[in-house]
Amino acid sequence: GNSVTQMEGPVTLSEEAFLTINCTYTATGYPSLFWYVQYPGEGLQLLLKATKADDKGSNKGFEATYRKETTSFHLEKGSVQVSDSAVYFCAQGGTSYGKLTFGQGTILTVHP
Amino acid sequence: DTAVSQTPKYLVTQMGNDKSIKCEQNLGHDTMYWYKQDSKKFLKIMFSYNNKELIINETVPNRFSPKSPDKAHLNLHINSLELGDSAVYFCASSYAGAANEKLFFGSGTQLSVL
């Protein structure tokens, strides 16, 4: 079945450090891929997405590239801020009705 | 205006009780969902409704019963609450056939069963 695996957390960084959160997926076909972010006390919100191989999604300084050959969708940001502290979820789209399969989430804490 | 709103935000109750969580969306979406997030942040879909029709029903105890009176509302009723039901429950909505669409989430209901 479809699955999404994220790098284990938690991740702790200093402000302005480089961030990578790894995500790999297994699926039949070529699903859409997403990164969602959950700030403390809030629901998830879409951060970025890519719908086909080699697409790059980007938003708020975050980027992720859909790599078909490595079945990966790693999240990167060149310089993190304290306000980026949150839980990050990688997800893949389902066959219908928006059934997303989520990874286990990675807790990111950024210190000043 | 809140796009997906769910109430209550916090729910503390005793084992064996029956409780409901309500969800409403004002985005005009025709598909709504319930997700459960455990203490380790793992997120799992429970149910999905499209135009008031049950579409996704994952392996969930039948103590959990969703009800969709119209496509803007999806409520979750839980009978005979157990300790293991303690979690954060998220409502979400999207357009149908939404493999490429984004989901809009409510802010969650933290359920604590004592």
Side-chain angles (χ1 to χ4, degrees):
Chain A
N2 296 347
S3 67
V4 176
T5 302
Q6 286 180 235
M7 101 190 234
E8 291 281 336
V11 174
T12 303
L13 295 172
S14 298
E15 209 164 23
E16 299 183 5
F18 184 86
L19 169 71
T20 300
I21 301 178
N22 290 340
C23 171
T24 57
Y25 67 92
T26 60
T28 52
Y30 303 106
S32 293
L33 300 174
F34 306 83
W35 277 100
Y36 278 80
V37 58
Q38 182 182 22
Y39 297 106
E42 298 182 12
L44 281 73
Q45 53 187 278
L46 182 68
L47 180 59
L48 52 85
K49 73 175 188 181
T51 57
K52 61 183 188 297
D54 300 325
D55 266 3
K56 178 186 281 188
S58 61
N59 185 25
K60 299 181 181 179
F62 291 88
E63 292 184 339
T65 302
Y66 191 142
R67 301 280 188 207
K68 184 179 66 173
E69 60 278 6
T70 54
T71 61
S72 65
F73 192 55
H74 304 323
L75 182 69
E76 296 181 337
K77 186 174 185 182
S79 175
V80 293
Q81 305 300 311
V82 172
S83 57
D84 294 326
S85 298
V87 185
Y88 292 81
F89 293 88
C90 186
Q92 63 170 301
T95 53
S96 64
Y97 298 108
K99 181 184 175 182
L100 299 185
T101 299
F102 285 91
Q104 70 269 39
T106 301
I107 299 172
L108 170 66
T109 303
V110 180
H111 291 299
Chain B
D1 281 346
T2 304
V4 181
S5 59
Q6 52 183 112
T7 55
K9 189 168 178 62
Y10 300 98
L11 186 52
V12 181
T13 188
Q14 300 288 330
M15 261 195 325
N17 284 350
D18 303 338
K19 291 293 179 185
S20 292
I21 307 171
K22 296 186 176 181
C23 179
E24 175 181 4
Q25 54 93 6
N26 62 5
L27 297 166
H29 291 156
D30 52 11
T31 306
M32 296 184 71
Y33 314 81
W34 279 109
Y35 279 84
K36 179 180 180 181
Q37 185 177 47
D38 64 22
S39 59
K40 296 184 178 178
K41 304 294 185 184
F42 186 71
L43 200 63
K44 187 169 168 53
I45 192 168
M46 301 173 70
F47 302 103
S48 170
Y49 271 73
N50 172 254
N51 281 320
K52 304 192 297 176
E53 182 183 346
L54 181 65
I55 298 298
I56 296 172
N57 185 354
E58 294 295 289
T59 307
V60 176
N62 55 17
R63 298 182 293 104
F64 290 78
S65 52
K67 284 190 171 47
S68 183
D70 55 61
K71 69 177 189 179
H73 295 83
L74 179 62
N75 303 323
L76 183 66
H77 188 75
I78 315 170
N79 288 327
S80 303
L81 277 155
E82 300 177 357
L83 293 176
D85 297 332
S86 296
V88 182
Y89 292 84
F90 286 100
C91 178
S93 71
S94 73
Y95 292 108
N100 295 332
E101 292 285 339
K102 73 177 190 179
L103 267 60
F104 290 77
F105 283 82
S107 56
T109 295
Q110 185 164 332
L111 172 64
S112 299
V113 182
L114 307 178

